[in-house]
Amino acid sequence: MINAIERAAAAARPNHVRLDDVDTAILRELVRDARIPNNALAEKVGIAPSTALARMRALRESGVIKGFHADIDLELLGLEISAMVSILIHSHARSRMTEIAEHLSGLDSVQRVFLMSGDRDLLVHVSCESPTRLRDFVSAHLNDPAIANTQTNLIFSELSQGG
């Protein structure tokens, strides 16, 4: 994520938000720790706390920072099985793709839903208590006639640039 931010800042197009070195440094630190206090952020970036606060506000108002999220250890909550389920929508049902994605995103076991290009249309991150619950989720929620095919891949571990 950090390298992508730096590349985007260097190659900003006219219709994109332009980031300078300070904005890029702020985003880099926030990716590492979104809960960093403003004074510590300012010190790490080498600016005054008031400048850091103003820059953060501008990044939020421009939409570059969409929000702050907790990184939850799902296994500690008993959700020991995570999977990425790729879904192919029948060609005759493509007009329902967003509707299906929104429905799936509202289900308890679903962490995230992505609309994709390529040979699959949706990618769904699912977390469940057990392999049986994962099987039940797939059987109960992915049997829509609009769905042509699914492929479920278990997630063994996640690597993160953030921290």
Side-chain angles (χ1 to χ4, degrees), residues 107 109 126 128-143:
L107 299 175
S109 297
V126 179
C128 297
E129 298 88 344
S130 67
T132 302
R133 295 282 187 165
L134 177 59
R135 182 200 62 216
D136 293 348
F137 174 87
V138 170
S139 297
H141 299 293
L142 301 180
N143 62 2

Side-chain angles (χ1 to χ4, degrees), residues 53-113:
L53 196 58
R55 291 291 189 113
M56 286 279 295
R57 184 178 304 115
L59 289 166
R60 281 194 312 272
E61 289 173 358
S62 70
V64 171
I65 296 176
K66 297 189 310 183
F68 296 91
H69 310 279
D71 187 8
I72 311 265
D73 188 327
L74 298 172
E75 285 187 44
L76 290 176
L77 298 177
L79 301 172
E80 300 200 9
I81 300 293
S82 284
M84 296 302 265
V85 182
S86 55
I87 299 173
L88 176 64
I89 303 293
H90 281 291
S91 58
H92 64 79
R94 298 250 183 233
S95 62
R96 291 193 51 221
M97 193 169 356
T98 301
E99 171 194 333
I100 293 167
E102 288 172 351
H103 169 73
L104 292 172
S105 70
L107 299 175
D108 285 343
S109 297
V110 173
Q111 304 303 315
R112 298 184 79 177
V113 177

Side-chain angles (χ1 to χ4, degrees), residues 138-158:
V138 170
S139 297
H141 299 293
L142 301 180
N143 62 2
D144 187 306
I147 296 176
N149 187 287
T150 66
Q151 180 177 338
T152 302
N153 294 292
L154 294 181
I155 299 171
F156 293 133
S157 63
E158 177 183 357

